[in-house]
Amino acid sequence: MNDSSAHLAEIPDEFEGDFPIRVRGLINRFGDHVIHDGLDLDVKRGEIIGVVGGSGTGKSVLMRSIIGLQIPAEGSIEVLGRSITDARDDEDIDIRSQWGVLFQGGALFSTLTVAENVEVPLREFYPEITDELRHEIARYKVLLSGLPANATSKYPSELSGGMKKRAGLARALALDPELLFLDEPTAGLDPIGAAAFDNLIRSLQETLGLTVFLITHDLDTLYEICDRVAVLADKKVIAVGTIPELLALDHPWIQEYFNGPRGRAAKDAQDRESASVVQPSLLADTGAMEQE
Amino acid sequence: MLRFSGPMVVSSLGLVDRRLRHISESVDEIDVRDVERMDTVGAWTVWRLSQQLGARIVNCRDEAERLIKAISDTDENRESIRAPRLPLLQRVPDEVGKVVIALGVGFLQVVGFLGQAVSAGGTILRHPRRFRALALIHQMELVGVNALGIVGLMSFLVGVVIAQQGAVQLQQFGAEIYTINLVGRLTLRELGILMTAIMVAGRSGSAFAAQLGTMKLTEEVDAMRTIGVSPTEALVLPRIIATMIMLPLLGIYSSVLGIIGGAFLGSVSLGIPFLTFLARIQEVVPIHDVWVGLVKGPVFGLIVAVAGCYQGMQVKTNAEEVGTRTTSAVVLAIFTVIVLDAFFAVFFTKIGWG
């Protein structure tokens, strides 16, 4: 028997702290319009945190601030132990290889095929990867995101809205990031597709050990997959906790949000499901996903 | 046995992948006990090697096992992820054929588009209330008023250059005074309107194509249709009419500035007083030269606007197409304008307006 061994070179350290995202005293304003006023938020390692709030409360602005697209007026933001607010553009590049972002509309590069879209971050950060391996990676990421294999060679304009989101997720996962940012991942999907997408995110999160920052309006998503929920109102995060913890609070917006007709329906669905003891599903589930 | 150690992640595997693909020894076990960390790329590599070498994976931790299981589920049929591509000898004639057909179809479509615009114009004539005066005035401002600065500067300088170059040649016969004829007739008859058309094609024709193209991409045009607003009436017609009105006006303005440029040079270096130069223009330029310039204006305007709007409305797929369509709008407009200008020149000479 031949004995060969390959020792792999050391690479950027895995983040070891407990809070991959720490936001302190964040202030964002556009002209006179103040969006955030002293916002604090800690995201725990390995959790799915859902961010909710009425329209215009600055959920997306918060996400854009954390990933460095929006420069806040004041406050500090730390991602994976490094400051985003102090970083220069060229310095924070190695943080960027450790997060993946899914924008609302998918934000796929329209002149590239789905597979090429997934390959963009790989080319950018790891040019040493051979073409062969890169194609293989792109292929399994696309399949992992619940798209059929023949979608890899399609252009974004040939995809439906749900497929674009999956392709966007595949691109967000291209570098096996520790952090995943999702901006309304289930908005615009049919209920079956949305439920499948929720399952997909949960199972990916469990398998890959991701920390997920998830903006959503979808109460089902909150009940199904979020470990904790952060509520944005009055220019701050007014509460963070599990849904039962939030329900115990006496804030009018929170009460209305979770106890409105839609909130109750989502809760009932959750109760029914937990009564019938469903095992957390693994990736095998994604086979049942809708094929647009 | 093949043994891995260290982190098996995307950032470390690129360096060893080539070696791993060319293992010739027989391996029956892949040992991953010393792997500190594994991501999906690591899992894929281990899985692929196990398939490639027919080896078992041993000493796998729980998370790693789960990852490998998840990855292997996606590995059903390894069909290519590239779109199929014809071999070169077939691809070249294929592409050439497509271009030729597209040319023919494109010509018919332009005619169809023009017909649509004309019929929309007819509808407007019957229902004048549906006419979008505000949009028209807005476009007139964008196409005409906002172009005054650049068109004026360009025309003034071209006037200076014509006068200067003309004077150098005419001096050889002692006929510098004919510089006035040269500047006056050339700018009013040909250059004023032609240069303006080219400038407007670059400024506004491209803007039309890019604007309408982006609106097509963001489904704004479709939204208009569903509301019952005809995009031809609301978007195309105001742009065409605005360009047809503004181009002759800009052309005359351009000629005037050209003459002023010529007069400026005349007074500075030829010793012809500024006002004398302008007064002589009236005597040496026949009035039909002004008409020749004016008649061409709306025609060139129509060409520039239709090229821009047509190309914009053809955008279907992506951002790159907006770019290529914008380019072809400008190229097509300038080309057609210059060809047509040559026909006009011959035509007007033949009817005795030489």
Side-chain angles (χ1 to χ4, degrees):
Chain A
M1 188 201 301
N2 287 309
D3 219 54
S4 40
S5 77
H7 186 85
L8 301 160
E10 195 45 69
I11 41 96
D13 284 332
E14 199 174 6
F15 175 69
E16 300 292 346
D18 289 331
F19 298 102
I21 302 175
R22 266 172 182 281
V23 182
R24 284 288 173 277
L26 179 71
I27 298 179
N28 266 310
R29 55 173 93 86
F30 296 115
D32 291 338
H33 183 52
V34 179
I35 309 281
H36 300 132
D37 190 7
L39 180 149
D40 299 332
L41 179 66
D42 286 329
V43 178
K44 284 187 204 157
R45 191 181 161 73
E47 74 171 345
I48 298 185
I49 188 163
V51 177
V52 300
S55 294
T57 48
K59 301 183 292 294
S60 294
V61 177
L62 174 61
M63 186 180 104
R64 290 174 63 86
S65 306
I66 296 173
I67 56 182
L69 292 177
Q70 159 87 29
I71 297 165
E74 271 169 60
S76 72
I77 297 170
E78 266 181 34
V79 176
L80 300 173
R82 267 166 294 183
S83 170
I84 291 290
T85 31
D86 298 337
R88 297 258 170 76
D89 234 17
D90 41 352
E91 287 168 5
D92 53 20
I93 282 216
D94 51 343
I95 311 182
R96 279 190 210 142
S97 71
Q98 289 164 57
W99 71 44
V101 184
L102 169 62
F103 289 96
Q104 257 189 56
L108 296 169
F109 302 122
S110 57
T111 52
L112 304 178
T113 63
V114 170
E116 285 164 349
N117 260 284
V118 178
E119 288 177 20
V120 169
L122 288 165
R123 275 177 201 279
E124 195 59 35
F125 286 100
Y126 305 112
E128 74 277 7
I129 290 182
T130 55
D131 288 353
E132 218 173 347
L133 179 60
R134 198 173 51 240
H135 296 338
E136 288 169 1
I137 295 175
R139 201 177 142 280
Y140 81 72
K141 298 269 168 170
V142 169
L143 292 170
L144 212 55
S145 308
L147 284 172
N150 62 17
T152 47
S153 57
K154 288 196 171 130
Y155 285 92
S157 55
E158 301 170 291
L159 301 180
S160 72
M163 290 171 92
K164 275 185 202 161
K165 293 222 158 145
R166 288 173 199 277
L169 185 65
R171 190 180 66 187
L173 293 170
L175 296 174
D176 274 291
E178 290 174 47
L179 269 174
L180 189 59
F181 293 89
L182 307 172
D183 193 350
E184 306 219 14
T186 54
L189 297 188
D190 66 283
I192 300 168
F197 207 91
D198 283 347
N199 275 333
L200 174 64
I201 293 168
R202 178 92 249 176
S203 59
L204 285 172
Q205 188 269 337
E206 281 169 358
T207 322
L208 309 177
L210 304 171
T211 306
V212 182
F213 180 99
L214 185 152
I215 295 176
T216 190
H217 280 302
D218 189 335
L219 284 151
D220 291 317
T221 306
L222 292 177
Y223 275 104
E224 286 292 329
I225 65 169
C226 290
D227 298 308
R228 291 194 307 157
V229 175
V231 182
L232 246 72
D234 310 327
K235 295 163 189 168
K236 286 185 173 66
V237 174
I238 53 169
V240 190
T242 60
I243 293 177
E245 283 168 18
L246 292 179
L247 282 170
L249 296 174
D250 193 26
H251 189 280
W253 193 85
I254 296 176
Q255 288 299 327
E256 205 181 328
Y257 190 82
F258 289 104
N259 282 330
R262 283 155 176 273
R264 276 203 305 277
K267 185 174 183 307
D268 291 348
Q270 167 79 2
D271 290 347
R272 274 199 303 280
E273 201 167 296
S274 46
S276 60
V277 193
V278 171
Q279 288 292 321
S281 48
L282 252 186
L283 287 158
D285 263 19
T286 55
M289 222 155 280
E290 102 271 39
Q291 306 243 320
E292 284 119 315
Chain B
M1 173 152 92
L2 177 66
R3 187 185 300 117
F4 284 99
S5 54
M8 278 193 87
V9 293
V10 58
S11 47
S12 60
L13 281 163
L15 300 167
V16 296
D17 182 59
R18 209 179 295 275
R19 262 174 58 208
L20 290 175
R21 279 177 200 276
H22 296 106
I23 293 178
S24 50
E25 299 94 336
S26 77
V27 175
D28 56 4
E29 277 186 353
I30 299 171
D31 186 348
V32 291
R33 180 177 25 204
D34 298 332
V35 171
E36 297 159 18
R37 219 165 92 207
M38 187 184 281
D39 66 5
T40 63
V41 180
W44 167 261
T45 305
V46 171
W47 166 254
R48 196 200 63 222
L49 281 171
S50 78
Q51 297 293 101
Q52 176 191 329
L53 305 167
R56 281 178 301 126
I57 304 162
V58 295
N59 294 325
C60 207
R61 278 184 234 155
D62 277 358
E63 313 96 77
E65 193 146 2
R66 209 156 48 153
L67 267 182
I68 294 171
K69 165 87 176 62
I71 296 298
S72 64
D73 283 348
T74 69
D75 194 22
E76 295 142 11
N77 54 339
R78 289 210 200 156
E79 59 191 62
S80 169
I81 59 170
R82 306 283 125 183
R85 229 174 153 206
L86 290 171
L88 186 71
L89 279 178
Q90 285 179 43
R91 200 162 71 233
V92 172
D94 190 62
E95 293 288 320
V96 172
K98 276 183 190 156
V99 169
V100 171
I101 291 173
L103 268 180
V105 173
F107 179 73
L108 284 182
Q109 278 181 333
V110 173
V111 174
F113 185 80
L114 189 61
Q116 255 180 15
V118 171
S119 94
T123 319
I124 293 287
L125 281 183
R126 276 183 286 123
H127 310 280
R129 273 158 177 255
R130 270 166 62 184
F131 184 62
R132 282 155 211 278
L134 209 63
L136 175 66
I137 289 166
H138 180 62
Q139 289 301 330
M140 282 167 72
E141 183 185 343
L142 291 179
V143 174
V145 180
N146 291 354
L148 283 178
I150 186 70
V151 169
L153 179 68
M154 174 185 73
S155 308
F156 181 85
L157 293 178
V158 169
V160 169
V161 171
I162 292 171
Q164 197 263 331
Q165 291 298 316
V168 169
Q169 299 302 320
L170 291 168
Q171 244 163 7
Q172 297 173 11
F173 315 96
E176 298 106 302
I177 197 69
Y178 283 102
T179 307
I180 302 171
N181 304 39
L182 184 68
V183 170
R185 297 204 63 179
L186 207 53
T187 51
L188 280 166
R189 208 183 153 94
E190 289 292 335
L191 282 185
I193 196 69
L194 187 63
M195 285 188 314
T196 309
I198 290 172
M199 185 57 94
V200 170
R203 272 187 92 253
S204 305
S206 59
F208 294 166
Q211 241 172 14
L212 298 188
T214 313
M215 287 179 79
K216 280 278 286 193
L217 280 190
T218 55
E219 297 178 320
E220 280 176 69
V221 174
D222 295 337
M224 287 180 115
R225 274 206 187 97
T226 57
I227 296 169
V229 178
S230 145
T232 315
E233 273 176 36
L235 300 174
V236 175
L237 214 54
R239 285 177 170 77
I240 292 181
I241 297 175
T243 318
M244 286 178 72
I245 294 175
M246 293 320 277
L247 204 62
L249 297 182
L250 279 174
I252 286 292
Y253 163 79
S254 158
S255 308
V256 170
L257 265 285
I259 290 169
I260 291 176
F264 169 76
L265 186 104
S267 67
V268 170
S269 74
L270 303 180
I272 306 169
F274 192 78
L275 291 177
T276 315
F277 193 104
L278 295 188
R280 281 286 294 165
I281 288 280
Q282 257 187 334
E283 295 161 25
V284 300
V285 179
I287 191 68
H288 63 238
D289 277 4
V290 180
W291 291 120
V292 169
L294 273 177
V295 165
K296 288 193 275 190
V299 180
F300 290 176
L302 181 73
I303 289 167
V304 167
V306 166
C309 293
Y310 167 75
Q311 295 289 352
M313 296 298 269
Q314 294 306 305
V315 170
K316 281 183 192 75
T317 53
N318 57 33
E320 191 183 357
E321 202 190 350
V322 176
T324 53
R325 289 283 179 186
T326 306
T327 308
S328 33
V330 176
V331 172
L332 197 74
I334 293 179
F335 174 76
T336 317
V337 160
I338 289 175
V339 169
L340 217 64
D341 191 59
F343 279 107
F344 271 124
V346 176
F347 173 76
F348 284 122
T349 313
K350 286 283 176 204
I351 65 165
W353 278 8

